[in-house]
């Protein structure tokens, strides 16, 4: 990484001109850093009319919010770019297009999505995108099927598993999802009023045993090339359009992890809705989230089964009925992973705006408690929640 | 591999002198090729007294039995040597010691085991080694625990998964275990009298679905560094001693595969015993095999749980009770994999001497049918065979 330097706005413009693949690169004249994360620089690149034409993203060698004290591999930029390129091959409509990646600079230039908005913000504001849930299900089916053992030759699959080995980013998930929330850990973050709820999580053997099984699946279940962080904050939406971004957690893992993370963030929105919207709007938003979850899963399932029927290359996995059996195990995994997402976003390091931006403190705490209780139930009961309808029934049961 | 050449006996002696680590290397004077496989040269290296002191093994770049027509990667020698070296670190008593490995020559020098015999031959002859089953269980627990997520740091585990990627040898297993026996395939091999039995295997949807699940586990379940081929023909025994050899199929896979292969070969001996021994001896051998299987599993389980209790490094997997839950899933996998071993050794390319050397044709066919029927039952019923005692009850039920 000896050639690495941190981009200025001018560097970002030069990079976009050189690698953006535009017919009129000299028309690119300005850049503005718009990153709200703390791991990367993100520049919008504008033309003379002030129209944003491309995005340049560069990984920083440390976590920005804590200065240079927490170094983080620049190789995550390669993993992000390669994951998005691979997913784009299989789901071009729903994956941001990476136009170029430069390893030495840990930088990539990609399509501008200024006409899109981050889904999480839209969900919080109660703005509904009627096609988003189905598009997300379609994205996950297309990306995950085509990188699974159903479709890839075993040699190619093994090559890819090795190429997408992502130890540092996976370690973040391993710790933040599956370990920290269940023990005393200074990285954990929750209001003191929730101490009893957090303490109960630390003293819950059936919960810990189920979480151990999920962590073990995360560590050892190399089923498909996951996005690895597919929450509503890494999804752009517009009228009739959905695009996945931010795949630096990409690796070969259990299919249920991506499904569970996606559903978990819809449920976090469900939990937060009463604190974000008026009474009637919140009730409507909640019903819509449950419909979204049902649509997401049914679309994923239908598309995965359809691909399995048409395109499975492995003679043994192609047997009638096997893909459906596999999806039943994916579903059980997904319910468990979904539960861990609710818990880690409530008491762990990283929270979600759906709940954290609720102004009323008591309401915010009530929403956090709701997410914790629901998350705990989903993790422990996952083996008995055998359909999306059963999941929705459980969600209603927990308020 | 530009420096590769096939060893003569003299080359093998020179190699052993240079790399065998003996205090008196010049005392090594002769070599005899003793390989009975078709993939490798195996030389015993003798001193002046005619005592075998070391073994030199060299991988051939093709399968010997079919001339040079079936090329096979020389890299399998690296995988064999590294798997045995890794297993030896964790189970020195029960893994042959590799003294040196030379990548360019695909050759290794290892301890001589002339005072040992291949377990399969001893089992067939009805010679009992009272400690072998427990030692095999101990070997599997020590080797598999220490290469699993319970023990390895996630970074080290991922590095190892990549280093032990073994596409060519895994492909042989993927095809021969999980695909060929269930379809028309010219590599399959069985007497014409068994055509109806073989045809039934090709037309059995519940069997195919269960086999698909097992193949998918084999393809995607990176739980531990498996031996990958731990049948009674890759195990040396002597009075009070057991040593695993021949690990060229080593890779990170599901723990239940090694357990199931080991148990499967004891059951193949069980099936063949009536054709190899007198009535009373056969009955005694069969009872002993069932005791062996029970001993193998209970020793494996006890040792794995003990290691998990003492040495688990992952905070989440260390939770009380989780290792036992994991072993319950390993057991279910093992029963299924065991069933596939019985089937593929009866109708697939590669058979076992326990049955194939039975002189009486009708008896031989009856033993093959027994193995097929038992194998089919184990694969399909695995989710309901929840203990080694339940397995033994099923075995008795099938004669």
């Amino acid at each position: 990484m000896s050639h690495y330097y941190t981009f200025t706005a001018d560097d970002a413009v030069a990079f976009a001109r050189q690698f953006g693949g535009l017919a009129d690169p000299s028309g690119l004249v300005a850049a503005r850093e718009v990153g709200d994360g703390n791991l990367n620089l993100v520049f919008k690149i504008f033309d003379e009319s002030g129209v944003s034409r491309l995005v340049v993203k560069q990984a920083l060698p440390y976590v920005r919010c804590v200065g240079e004290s927490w170094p983080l591999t620049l190789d995550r930029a390669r993993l992000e770019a390669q994951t998005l390129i691979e997913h784009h091959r299989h789901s071009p409509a729903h994956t941001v297009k990476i136009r170029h990646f430069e390893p030495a600079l840990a930088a990539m230039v990609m399509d501008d999505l200024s006409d899109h908005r981050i889904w999480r913000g839209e969900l919080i504001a109660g703005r509904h995108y009627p096609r988003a849930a189905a598009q997300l299900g379609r994205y996950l089916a297309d990306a995950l099927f085509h990188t699974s053992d159903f479709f890839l030759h075993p040699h190619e699959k093994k090559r890819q598993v090795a190429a997408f080995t992502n130890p540092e980013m996976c370690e973040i998930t391993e710790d933040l999802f599956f370990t920290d929330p269940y023990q005393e850990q200074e990285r954990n973050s929750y209001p003191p009023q929730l101490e009893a709820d957090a303490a109960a999580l630390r003293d819950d053997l059936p919960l810990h045993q189920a979480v151990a099984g999920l962590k073990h699946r995360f560590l050892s279940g190399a089923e498909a090339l996951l996005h690895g962080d597919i929450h509503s904050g890494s999804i752009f939406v517009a009228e009739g359009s959905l695009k996945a971004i931010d795949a630096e957690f990409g690796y070969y893992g259990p299919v249920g992890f991506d499904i569970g993370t996606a559903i978990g963030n819809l449920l976090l929105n469900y939990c937060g809705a009463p604190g974000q919207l008026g009474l009637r709007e919140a009730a409507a938003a909640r019903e819509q989230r449950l419909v979204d979850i049902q649509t997401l899963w049914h679309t994923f399932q239908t598309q995965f089964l359809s691909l399995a029927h048409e395109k499975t290359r492995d003679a043994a996995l192609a047997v009638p009925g096997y893909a459906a059996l596999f999806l039943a195990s994916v579903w059980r995994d997904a319910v468990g992973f979904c539960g861990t997402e609710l818990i880690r976003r409530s008491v762990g390091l990283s929270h979600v705006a759906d709940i954290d931006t609720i102004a009323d403190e008591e309401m915010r705490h009530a929403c956090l408690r709701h997410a914790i209780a629901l998350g705990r139930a989903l993790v422990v009961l996952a083996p008995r929640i055998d359909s999306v309808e059963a999941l929705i029934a459980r969600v209603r049961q927990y308020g």
Side-chain angles (χ1 to χ4, degrees), chain A:
Chain A
M1 290 296 171
S2 55
H3 296 296
Y4 179 85
Y5 56 91
T6 305
F7 279 178
T8 61
D10 286 349
D11 295 330
V13 171
F15 188 79
R17 283 182 180 182
Q18 188 176 358
F19 295 118
L22 293 193
D24 58 339
S26 64
L28 300 174
V29 296
R32 184 160 41 103
E33 213 274 313
V34 297
D36 63 349
N38 44 33
L39 305 168
N40 307 288
L41 297 175
V42 180
F43 297 92
K44 287 194 175 193
I45 312 294
F46 298 93
D47 65 16
E48 293 113 327
S49 324
V51 174
S52 177
R53 300 284 301 278
L54 293 169
V55 166
V56 169
K57 181 172 180 178
Q58 183 182 40
L60 292 166
Y62 47 82
V63 178
R64 196 161 62 171
C65 66
V66 289
E68 302 195 10
S69 65
W70 189 354
L72 200 56
T73 176
L74 291 173
D75 192 40
R76 71 185 191 277
R78 174 187 67 83
L79 287 151
E80 170 171 10
Q82 290 182 354
T83 300
L84 290 170
I85 288 165
E86 189 65 25
H87 281 192
H88 191 271
R89 285 178 57 199
H90 307 301
S91 183
H94 302 307
T95 313
V96 65
K97 183 181 170 65
I98 304 298
R99 290 163 170 254
H100 182 76
F101 168 65
E102 195 65 26
L105 295 167
M108 65 198 85
V109 54
M110 67 187 88
D111 279 4
D112 175 77
L113 294 170
S114 294
D115 55 340
H116 286 61
R117 289 160 166 248
I118 291 292
W119 198 18
R120 191 184 299 286
E122 301 298 285
L123 288 167
I124 293 171
R127 282 189 289 271
H128 181 49
Y129 290 75
R131 295 179 59 191
Q135 289 171 329
L136 180 53
R138 176 77 187 232
Y139 159 71
L140 290 168
D142 288 340
L144 299 176
F145 174 83
H146 289 99
T147 57
S148 77
D149 292 300
F150 287 89
F151 185 70
L152 293 182
H153 186 280
H155 289 197
E156 172 64 8
K157 160 89 186 303
K158 289 172 179 68
R159 203 192 57 72
Q160 287 224 37
V161 169
F164 285 96
T165 301
N166 194 350
E168 295 204 45
M169 301 307 284
C170 281
E171 189 178 19
I172 295 174
T173 304
E174 286 151 15
D175 290 344
L176 298 190
F177 262 77
F178 303 112
T179 305
D180 292 358
Y182 307 97
Q183 61 185 24
E184 303 262 11
Q185 165 56 254
E186 62 182 20
R187 275 189 301 234
N188 286 339
S189 164
Y190 50 83
Q193 293 88 340
L194 263 73
E195 182 50 46
D197 307 82
L201 293 175
R202 296 194 293 268
D203 185 31
D204 187 331
L205 186 60
L207 178 65
H208 293 190
Q209 288 176 340
V211 169
L214 292 163
K215 184 175 189 179
H216 206 171
R217 297 274 302 129
F218 186 86
L219 286 164
S220 64
E223 293 175 352
L225 176 59
L226 306 188
H227 179 284
D229 194 30
I230 190 70
H231 56 76
S232 51
S234 52
I235 294 168
F236 268 118
V237 290
E239 186 70 36
S241 175
L242 176 143
K243 303 271 185 188
I245 61 167
D246 285 356
E248 55 262 76
F249 287 84
Y251 88 112
Y252 268 76
V255 168
F257 183 79
D258 268 4
I259 309 290
T261 305
I263 292 176
N265 278 271
L266 294 173
L267 284 179
L268 285 161
N269 182 265
Y270 177 99
C271 292
Q276 300 283 4
L277 300 167
L279 205 62
R280 192 170 305 172
E281 291 81 3
R286 283 185 152 197
E287 287 308 307
Q288 188 58 54
R289 285 306 79 73
L290 299 184
V291 173
D292 288 346
I293 289 166
Q294 213 167 6
T295 303
L296 192 171
W297 174 255
H298 283 313
T299 307
F300 170 79
Q301 184 180 41
T302 303
Q303 175 66 3
F304 197 101
L305 290 175
S306 161
L307 290 169
H309 182 67
E310 289 165 29
K311 298 173 82 171
T312 297
R313 291 181 184 162
D314 184 281
L317 304 194
V319 56
Y322 176 66
L325 288 169
F326 171 66
L327 289 187
S329 80
V330 167
W331 172 255
R332 282 190 299 274
D333 285 354
V335 173
F337 287 124
C338 172
T340 60
E341 173 73 350
L342 294 186
I343 289 172
R344 73 108 177 180
R345 294 290 198 176
S346 301
V347 302
L349 172 67
S350 178
H351 285 226
V352 291
D354 310 63
I355 296 179
D356 255 26
T357 61
I358 295 171
D360 182 280
E361 193 182 61
E362 254 181 69
M363 174 64 88
R364 190 168 68 249
H365 296 172
C367 292
L368 286 171
R369 286 199 182 90
H370 183 184
I372 293 168
L374 179 57
R376 195 262 174 206
L378 297 186
V379 171
V380 172
L381 300 175
R384 288 191 272 154
I385 299 174
D386 62 359
S387 68
V388 68
E389 289 72 28
L391 171 68
I392 288 169
R394 287 285 176 187
V395 173
R396 291 195 195 282
Q397 189 185 333
Y398 280 80

mmCIF file with all atom_site columns, all heavy atoms in Angstrom, chain A residues 315-328:
data_model
loop_
_atom_site.group_PDB
_atom_site.id
_atom_site.type_symbol
_atom_site.label_atom_id
_atom_site.label_alt_id
_atom_site.label_comp_id
_atom_site.label_asym_id
_atom_site.label_entity_id
_atom_site.label_seq_id
_atom_site.pdbx_PDB_ins_code
_atom_site.Cartn_x
_atom_site.Cartn_y
_atom_site.Cartn_z
_atom_site.occupancy
_atom_site.B_iso_or_equiv
_atom_site.pdbx_formal_charge
_atom_site.auth_seq_id
_atom_site.auth_comp_id
_atom_site.auth_asym_id
_atom_site.auth_atom_id
_atom_site.pdbx_PDB_model_num
ATOM 1  N N   . ALA A 1 315 ? -25.518 -31.758 -10.143 1.00 0.00 ? 315 ALA A N   1
ATOM 2  C CA  . ALA A 1 315 ? -26.499 -32.821 -10.410 1.00 0.00 ? 315 ALA A CA  1
ATOM 3  C C   . ALA A 1 315 ? -27.215 -33.263 -9.136  1.00 0.00 ? 315 ALA A C   1
ATOM 4  O O   . ALA A 1 315 ? -28.417 -33.562 -9.172  1.00 0.00 ? 315 ALA A O   1
ATOM 5  C CB  . ALA A 1 315 ? -25.797 -34.015 -11.058 1.00 0.00 ? 315 ALA A CB  1
ATOM 6  N N   . ALA A 1 316 ? -26.517 -33.302 -8.008  1.00 0.00 ? 316 ALA A N   1
ATOM 7  C CA  . ALA A 1 316 ? -27.162 -33.762 -6.766  1.00 0.00 ? 316 ALA A CA  1
ATOM 8  C C   . ALA A 1 316 ? -28.098 -32.693 -6.202  1.00 0.00 ? 316 ALA A C   1
ATOM 9  O O   . ALA A 1 316 ? -29.217 -33.001 -5.770  1.00 0.00 ? 316 ALA A O   1
ATOM 10 C CB  . ALA A 1 316 ? -26.101 -34.135 -5.727  1.00 0.00 ? 316 ALA A CB  1
ATOM 11 N N   . LEU A 1 317 ? -27.659 -31.432 -6.223  1.00 0.00 ? 317 LEU A N   1
ATOM 12 C CA  . LEU A 1 317 ? -28.497 -30.367 -5.656  1.00 0.00 ? 317 LEU A CA  1
ATOM 13 C C   . LEU A 1 317 ? -29.706 -30.064 -6.544  1.00 0.00 ? 317 LEU A C   1
ATOM 14 O O   . LEU A 1 317 ? -30.653 -29.412 -6.109  1.00 0.00 ? 317 LEU A O   1
ATOM 15 C CB  . LEU A 1 317 ? -27.678 -29.089 -5.432  1.00 0.00 ? 317 LEU A CB  1
ATOM 16 C CG  . LEU A 1 317 ? -26.418 -29.193 -4.553  1.00 0.00 ? 317 LEU A CG  1
ATOM 17 C CD1 . LEU A 1 317 ? -25.926 -27.806 -4.150  1.00 0.00 ? 317 LEU A CD1 1
ATOM 18 C CD2 . LEU A 1 317 ? -26.640 -30.030 -3.309  1.00 0.00 ? 317 LEU A CD2 1
ATOM 19 N N   . ALA A 1 318 ? -29.670 -30.544 -7.776  1.00 0.00 ? 318 ALA A N   1
ATOM 20 C CA  . ALA A 1 318 ? -30.770 -30.273 -8.714  1.00 0.00 ? 318 ALA A CA  1
ATOM 21 C C   . ALA A 1 318 ? -31.991 -31.152 -8.472  1.00 0.00 ? 318 ALA A C   1
ATOM 22 O O   . ALA A 1 318 ? -33.019 -30.982 -9.113  1.00 0.00 ? 318 ALA A O   1
ATOM 23 C CB  . ALA A 1 318 ? -30.271 -30.462 -10.155 1.00 0.00 ? 318 ALA A CB  1
ATOM 24 N N   . VAL A 1 319 ? -31.908 -32.092 -7.544  1.00 0.00 ? 319 VAL A N   1
ATOM 25 C CA  . VAL A 1 319 ? -33.019 -33.016 -7.330  1.00 0.00 ? 319 VAL A CA  1
ATOM 26 C C   . VAL A 1 319 ? -34.288 -32.246 -6.940  1.00 0.00 ? 319 VAL A C   1
ATOM 27 O O   . VAL A 1 319 ? -34.225 -31.299 -6.157  1.00 0.00 ? 319 VAL A O   1
ATOM 28 C CB  . VAL A 1 319 ? -32.637 -34.069 -6.259  1.00 0.00 ? 319 VAL A CB  1
ATOM 29 C CG1 . VAL A 1 319 ? -32.217 -33.400 -4.969  1.00 0.00 ? 319 VAL A CG1 1
ATOM 30 C CG2 . VAL A 1 319 ? -33.766 -35.027 -6.005  1.00 0.00 ? 319 VAL A CG2 1
ATOM 31 N N   . PRO A 1 320 ? -35.428 -32.626 -7.516  1.00 0.00 ? 320 PRO A N   1
ATOM 32 C CA  . PRO A 1 320 ? -36.680 -31.910 -7.200  1.00 0.00 ? 320 PRO A CA  1
ATOM 33 C C   . PRO A 1 320 ? -36.912 -31.850 -5.688  1.00 0.00 ? 320 PRO A C   1
ATOM 34 O O   . PRO A 1 320 ? -36.778 -32.857 -4.994  1.00 0.00 ? 320 PRO A O   1
ATOM 35 C CB  . PRO A 1 320 ? -37.751 -32.750 -7.882  1.00 0.00 ? 320 PRO A CB  1
ATOM 36 C CG  . PRO A 1 320 ? -37.050 -33.459 -8.988  1.00 0.00 ? 320 PRO A CG  1
ATOM 37 C CD  . PRO A 1 320 ? -35.657 -33.711 -8.498  1.00 0.00 ? 320 PRO A CD  1
ATOM 38 N N   . GLY A 1 321 ? -37.246 -30.680 -5.212  1.00 0.00 ? 321 GLY A N   1
ATOM 39 C CA  . GLY A 1 321 ? -37.574 -30.521 -3.799  1.00 0.00 ? 321 GLY A CA  1
ATOM 40 C C   . GLY A 1 321 ? -36.406 -30.130 -2.920  1.00 0.00 ? 321 GLY A C   1
ATOM 41 O O   . GLY A 1 321 ? -36.617 -29.635 -1.808  1.00 0.00 ? 321 GLY A O   1
ATOM 42 N N   . TYR A 1 322 ? -35.146 -30.322 -3.406  1.00 0.00 ? 322 TYR A N   1
ATOM 43 C CA  . TYR A 1 322 ? -34.040 -30.006 -2.501  1.00 0.00 ? 322 TYR A CA  1
ATOM 44 C C   . TYR A 1 322 ? -33.914 -28.507 -2.232  1.00 0.00 ? 322 TYR A C   1
ATOM 45 O O   . TYR A 1 322 ? -33.687 -28.086 -1.091  1.00 0.00 ? 322 TYR A O   1
ATOM 46 C CB  . TYR A 1 322 ? -32.695 -30.577 -2.969  1.00 0.00 ? 322 TYR A CB  1
ATOM 47 C CG  . TYR A 1 322 ? -31.630 -30.106 -2.002  1.00 0.00 ? 322 TYR A CG  1
ATOM 48 C CD1 . TYR A 1 322 ? -31.648 -30.552 -0.685  1.00 0.00 ? 322 TYR A CD1 1
ATOM 49 C CD2 . TYR A 1 322 ? -30.700 -29.135 -2.353  1.00 0.00 ? 322 TYR A CD2 1
ATOM 50 C CE1 . TYR A 1 322 ? -30.761 -30.061 0.257   1.00 0.00 ? 322 TYR A CE1 1
ATOM 51 C CE2 . TYR A 1 322 ? -29.798 -28.641 -1.415  1.00 0.00 ? 322 TYR A CE2 1
ATOM 52 C CZ  . TYR A 1 322 ? -29.840 -29.104 -0.129  1.00 0.00 ? 322 TYR A CZ  1
ATOM 53 O OH  . TYR A 1 322 ? -28.968 -28.596 0.808   1.00 0.00 ? 322 TYR A OH  1
ATOM 54 N N   . ALA A 1 323 ? -34.062 -27.698 -3.264  1.00 0.00 ? 323 ALA A N   1
ATOM 55 C CA  . ALA A 1 323 ? -33.916 -26.250 -3.052  1.00 0.00 ? 323 ALA A CA  1
ATOM 56 C C   . ALA A 1 323 ? -34.916 -25.758 -2.006  1.00 0.00 ? 323 ALA A C   1
ATOM 57 O O   . ALA A 1 323 ? -34.583 -24.912 -1.163  1.00 0.00 ? 323 ALA A O   1
ATOM 58 C CB  . ALA A 1 323 ? -34.096 -25.495 -4.370  1.00 0.00 ? 323 ALA A CB  1
ATOM 59 N N   . ALA A 1 324 ? -36.131 -26.304 -2.020  1.00 0.00 ? 324 ALA A N   1
ATOM 60 C CA  . ALA A 1 324 ? -37.137 -25.898 -1.024  1.00 0.00 ? 324 ALA A CA  1
ATOM 61 C C   . ALA A 1 324 ? -36.714 -26.331 0.380   1.00 0.00 ? 324 ALA A C   1
ATOM 62 O O   . ALA A 1 324 ? -36.901 -25.588 1.352   1.00 0.00 ? 324 ALA A O   1
ATOM 63 C CB  . ALA A 1 324 ? -38.498 -26.486 -1.383  1.00 0.00 ? 324 ALA A CB  1
ATOM 64 N N   . LEU A 1 325 ? -36.136 -27.525 0.489   1.00 0.00 ? 325 LEU A N   1
ATOM 65 C CA  . LEU A 1 325 ? -35.631 -27.969 1.791   1.00 0.00 ? 325 LEU A CA  1
ATOM 66 C C   . LEU A 1 325 ? -34.508 -27.047 2.270   1.00 0.00 ? 325 LEU A C   1
ATOM 67 O O   . LEU A 1 325 ? -34.444 -26.675 3.446   1.00 0.00 ? 325 LEU A O   1
ATOM 68 C CB  . LEU A 1 325 ? -35.110 -29.411 1.701   1.00 0.00 ? 325 LEU A CB  1
ATOM 69 C CG  . LEU A 1 325 ? -36.166 -30.501 1.558   1.00 0.00 ? 325 LEU A CG  1
ATOM 70 C CD1 . LEU A 1 325 ? -35.510 -31.839 1.215   1.00 0.00 ? 325 LEU A CD1 1
ATOM 71 C CD2 . LEU A 1 325 ? -36.978 -30.632 2.847   1.00 0.00 ? 325 LEU A CD2 1
ATOM 72 N N   . PHE A 1 326 ? -33.618 -26.685 1.347   1.00 0.00 ? 326 PHE A N   1
ATOM 73 C CA  . PHE A 1 326 ? -32.540 -25.762 1.702   1.00 0.00 ? 326 PHE A CA  1
ATOM 74 C C   . PHE A 1 326 ? -33.114 -24.427 2.185   1.00 0.00 ? 326 PHE A C   1
ATOM 75 O O   . PHE A 1 326 ? -32.685 -23.887 3.215   1.00 0.00 ? 326 PHE A O   1
ATOM 76 C CB  . PHE A 1 326 ? -31.610 -25.558 0.505   1.00 0.00 ? 326 PHE A CB  1
ATOM 77 C CG  . PHE A 1 326 ? -30.601 -24.461 0.704   1.00 0.00 ? 326 PHE A CG  1
ATOM 78 C CD1 . PHE A 1 326 ? -29.610 -24.577 1.671   1.00 0.00 ? 326 PHE A CD1 1
ATOM 79 C CD2 . PHE A 1 326 ? -30.647 -23.310 -0.072  1.00 0.00 ? 326 PHE A CD2 1
ATOM 80 C CE1 . PHE A 1 326 ? -28.681 -23.555 1.877   1.00 0.00 ? 326 PHE A CE1 1
ATOM 81 C CE2 . PHE A 1 326 ? -29.722 -22.289 0.124   1.00 0.00 ? 326 PHE A CE2 1
ATOM 82 C CZ  . PHE A 1 326 ? -28.745 -22.407 1.090   1.00 0.00 ? 326 PHE A CZ  1
ATOM 83 N N   . LEU A 1 327 ? -34.118 -23.921 1.473   1.00 0.00 ? 327 LEU A N   1
ATOM 84 C CA  . LEU A 1 327 ? -34.686 -22.621 1.870   1.00 0.00 ? 327 LEU A CA  1
ATOM 85 C C   . LEU A 1 327 ? -35.369 -22.700 3.235   1.00 0.00 ? 327 LEU A C   1
ATOM 86 O O   . LEU A 1 327 ? -35.417 -21.703 3.968   1.00 0.00 ? 327 LEU A O   1
ATOM 87 C CB  . LEU A 1 327 ? -35.654 -22.104 0.807   1.00 0.00 ? 327 LEU A CB  1
ATOM 88 C CG  . LEU A 1 327 ? -35.001 -21.632 -0.496  1.00 0.00 ? 327 LEU A CG  1
ATOM 89 C CD1 . LEU A 1 327 ? -36.045 -20.977 -1.402  1.00 0.00 ? 327 LEU A CD1 1
ATOM 90 C CD2 . LEU A 1 327 ? -33.850 -20.651 -0.233  1.00 0.00 ? 327 LEU A CD2 1
ATOM 91 N N   . ALA A 1 328 ? -35.884 -23.860 3.594   1.00 0.00 ? 328 ALA A N   1
ATOM 92 C CA  . ALA A 1 328 ? -36.462 -23.996 4.937   1.00 0.00 ? 328 ALA A CA  1
ATOM 93 C C   . ALA A 1 328 ? -35.375 -23.808 5.998   1.00 0.00 ? 328 ALA A C   1
ATOM 94 O O   . ALA A 1 328 ? -35.617 -23.186 7.045   1.00 0.00 ? 328 ALA A O   1
ATOM 95 C CB  . ALA A 1 328 ? -37.135 -25.361 5.088   1.00 0.00 ? 328 ALA A CB  1
#
